[in-house]
Amino acid sequence: MKQLHKQSSVNHRRDEEMLIPQTPPYSPKTLKHPRSLPRSINYLFKEQRLLFIFIGILIGSTFFILQPTLSRLAPSETHPSIPRSFSKDEVISHTQDFSVSTKPLHGKPGRVPVGIGRRRMRIVVTGGAGFVGSHLVDKLIGRGDEVIVIDNFFTGRKENVVHLFGNPRFELIRHDVVEPILLEVDQIYHLACPASPVHYKYNPVKTIKTNVMGTLNMLGLAKRVGARFLLTSTSEVYGDPLQHPQKETYWGNVNPIGERSCYDEGKRTAETLTMDYHRGDGVEVRIARIFNTYGPRMCLDDGRVVSNFVAQAIRKQPMTVYGDGKQTRSFQFVSDLVDGLVALMEGEHIGPFNLGNPGEFTMLELAEVVKDTIDPSATIEYKPNTADDPHMRKPDISKAKELLNWEPKIPLREGLPLMVNDFRNRILNEDEGKGS
Amino acid sequence: MKQLHKQSSVNHRRDEEMLIPQTPPYSPKTLKHPRSLPRSINYLFKEQRLLFIFIGILIGSTFFILQPTLSRLAPSETHPSIPRSFSKDEVISHTQDFSVSTKPLHGKPGRVPVGIGRRRMRIVVTGGAGFVGSHLVDKLIGRGDEVIVIDNFFTGRKENVVHLFGNPRFELIRHDVVEPILLEVDQIYHLACPASPVHYKYNPVKTIKTNVMGTLNMLGLAKRVGARFLLTSTSEVYGDPLQHPQKETYWGNVNPIGERSCYDEGKRTAETLTMDYHRGDGVEVRIARIFNTYGPRMCLDDGRVVSNFVAQAIRKQPMTVYGDGKQTRSFQFVSDLVDGLVALMEGEHIGPFNLGNPGEFTMLELAEVVKDTIDPSATIEYKPNTADDPHMRKPDISKAKELLNWEPKIPLREGLPLMVNDFRNRILNEDEGKGS
Ligand SMILES: NC(=O)c1ccc[n+]([C@@H]2O[C@H](COP(=O)([O-])OP(=O)(O)OC[C@H]3O[C@@H](n4cnc5c(N)ncnc54)[C@H](O)[C@@H]3O)[C@@H](O)[C@H]2O)c1
Ligand SMILES: NC(=O)c1ccc[n+]([C@@H]2O[C@H](COP(=O)([O-])OP(=O)(O)OC[C@H]3O[C@@H](n4cnc5c(N)ncnc54)[C@H](O)[C@@H]3O)[C@@H](O)[C@H]2O)c1
């Protein structure tokens, strides 16, 4: 009965296949010998022919089912000594400052089978829906890699990556790095952490958890799968520096019990953990200490001076200057930072590396540039300085220049208009949203 | 059948009770009327007397079973506004340095019902099986409180608290503070953390977890049950200080990526968390920054100079001096520290407070004291200084003197012999253990 049913269904399918060509009226050829159909079926049923067809189907299917698994296994079986094959820069990495990793290269094949297309990497970017993260993702997708973004959308926005939603090499996971996650990847860019004081002070304990447990989880992942790990630390680890400009060897002057400590100490401990995983477990790590960065996709309300001035000038409000406006800041355009992060990840030095623009501007000079760019009639409003005004900081980037061959290229007068365009659109949309 | 069995077992018990006094031969009084026993039993069985005995037992038991629950409920029901009743110092606490807690007193009754005995507190000491912890526990038990020790026995030893095992006011829980725990307590002394470099460098990632997640868990507990929380931080938060002696306002000079950073940065982040729970959640907190401490029950192998010298002199080995021996250290006897910790917990100031002995000794002076105390023929062996030699540190304790009315009382020449006695016994036991 079962067999009968099978046979009839097969017949039915064959009938369909053979009948389909009959439908188009424009091809008379297929109408040849319509009467021979029952005979061919008869033929099929004789001498176990059908059985052999089934065996053939079975063999074919087996091959296609097993093929991806086989080719994934192949490189590590046949070339066990070939190192992970993702970058020509891939060498055991160390600087003079740090003990050399004693472990051999992990000897794992890339996540993508060798021989299928170009050797593409699979890269996680935590915090990839944020300001810096989304620009980094654009660059990695642009050069042909697969990118998985992990974000809890605390300060990140889907709008920052929405243009990648159709791309099969892009994936977005809503996940909090405070919880562990299992993935198979080659590189981890660990950016997840609110960067602006308004955001990181909102829940200081969560900020510490994100920095400490988040970094622990990502280092654990890197260790398990043999991925390379990059931490985005911050110039805040220098605190209120007594050295100017700051070199990477400077230990900093940080208040451990202040309102900003959750960020500063959280990042310092994240650096400690990163080095401990390197020294203790041979994980390949990189540490970037990022200085003030600006550009499109920054949070409108992040409370830092560039976004404040730009948003105020666009909204025709006076720009707020705290104190006398003579305190200085350095500003780096986001594409420069992203280039630096990638150079660091692909290079052979652990760091830490200062990534920032050493050019200094006073608040009043910045206001002038904003005026020139947006609205020459913009005004300035002076307010008394706040108690925890960010400290004067200027990076010494000679280490990155020498070892990573990196330095920022975009001057403020060139980068600011790009940011202004983005802010203008978003503020316009905002206003329209309110109006409707 | 069941009832019969019950009755006979009751009878059996009663028989025993009545028979016991008969056994001692020295008291002729109990031998009176031996023949009346069967008659009394007969009597008992008549007129449902046994039934009434059962009813009586039932009433009595019910009372005793319900009584603690009732009296525990009573105070909060009848005096809902009575504040937690554990100390005359119990006031909302703050120093000028920090924002005043805006939350009202938690309004919870003490864990021990009012009206039953003296108002005793229930206190958790994490790391209570360690060197400092066990002395603190002795003091708290000595003044009549209930103490729960939480320890994972990483560096602690049961021997340190074995003398308290029979005490109903003492309890020992084998638990790792990296995992949360639920307890009903009034105060939390949070000491759990390896203190000596050999121990905390053994697993640096675990050291950070203990400091960050352990402190988080204990602060969470304090918040939930409204307990007061004391963190034992360390003079290591000053790192390699550029200020001498160190005041509590000094922010320190700490390497974030060195081999000792797991301890230094871990403790700094623990301080940050403590202040964040205070500012954000109104938890009553205290922070002690402890300087070098010595005394009985220190680990023999903790690698620090006092235990090194003493153990070497007792074992008739030369005392190892690194470098020229002219670097200085300050040493505080453990009972002074314990007094300071209790004064801080009971007082009304958050801290941080330096707790240490400002008296300075060079390594050679220390060796001299050890020689005088143990063995005048002891010799010194000079070795080249190690790269991460602990830094010169001397506490400025004027804040603790003024606000806690505390200062160390035991000079080195008085404290050292107490430690030497303990070390002698333990080294002797060790040797006997080896010999047998
Ligand atoms: N922008 C700067 O000037 C600057 C300066 C120094 C360092 N950094 C560092 O660079 C990184 C990126 O900064 P940014 O300016 O893009 O900030 P951002 O706030 O725009 O982006 C941070 C991203 O991390 C996500 N995130 C936060 N907590 C998370 C968690 N627990 N789990 C998962 N995702 C989480 C946010 O949703 C957001 O998308 C941060 O680590 C920051 O500390 C930035
Ligand atoms: N002794 C000093 O000179 C000194 C100086 C500065 C600070 N301190 C601090 O004082 C505290 C006590 O120091 P100590 O000298 O008694 O050290 P110790 O090593 O003798 O005691 C620490 C105790 O904590 C326990 N412990 C460690 N990790 C734990 C975990 N994850 N969970 C539960 N228990 C854990 C250990 O088993 C041990 O009993 C520590 O916090 C230390 O950092 C001590």
Side-chain angles (χ1 to χ4, degrees), chain B residues 262-322:
Chain B
C262 58
Y263 186 68
D264 307 4
E265 291 295 345
K267 285 285 188 185
R268 287 173 68 97
T269 302
E271 287 196 12
T272 309
L273 280 169
T274 304
M275 288 311 301
D276 284 332
Y277 266 82
H278 171 66
R279 279 188 292 250
D281 302 294
V283 174
E284 290 183 9
V285 301
R286 305 287 183 265
I287 299 176
R289 289 183 181 155
I290 302 175
F291 285 66
N292 255 339
T293 306
Y294 71 97
R297 301 183 193 157
M298 271 182 102
C299 281
L300 294 176
D301 62 345
D302 86 347
R304 282 179 294 182
V305 65
V306 189
S307 38
N308 273 1
F309 280 8
V310 170
Q312 287 170 328
I314 293 175
R315 288 180 177 134
K316 309 263 175 222
Q317 296 161 350
M319 296 181 280
T320 318
V321 168
Y322 294 93

Side-chain angles (χ1 to χ4, degrees), chain A residues 268-307:
Chain A
R268 287 173 68 96
T269 302
E271 287 195 13
T272 311
L273 280 169
T274 304
M275 288 311 299
D276 284 331
Y277 266 82
H278 172 63
R279 278 188 293 251
D281 302 294
V283 174
E284 291 183 8
V285 301
R286 304 287 182 268
I287 299 176
R289 290 184 180 154
I290 302 175
F291 285 66
N292 255 340
T293 307
Y294 71 97
R297 301 185 193 154
M298 272 182 99
C299 281
L300 294 177
D301 62 346
D302 86 347
R304 283 180 292 183
V305 65
V306 189
S307 38

Side-chain angles (χ1 to χ4, degrees), chain B residues 326-390:
Chain B
K326 299 220 170 98
Q327 64 274 44
T328 63
R329 294 278 183 288
S330 309
F331 309 103
Q332 154 178 246
F333 189 65
V334 65
S335 67
D336 282 335
L337 170 60
V338 165
D339 289 348
L341 291 175
V342 172
L344 172 57
M345 178 66 106
E346 304 296 337
E348 35 183 287
H349 300 280
I350 291 172
F353 282 97
N354 289 338
L355 297 181
N357 195 324
E360 273 181 303
F361 288 81
T362 67
M363 297 299 95
L364 294 180
E365 285 168 341
L366 175 67
E368 212 48 52
V369 181
V370 173
K371 258 169 89 166
D372 293 354
T373 314
I374 301 176
D375 176 7
S377 69
T379 57
I380 288 175
E381 185 187 40
Y382 290 88
K383 282 200 179 163
N385 217 334
T386 54
D388 73 340
D389 185 46

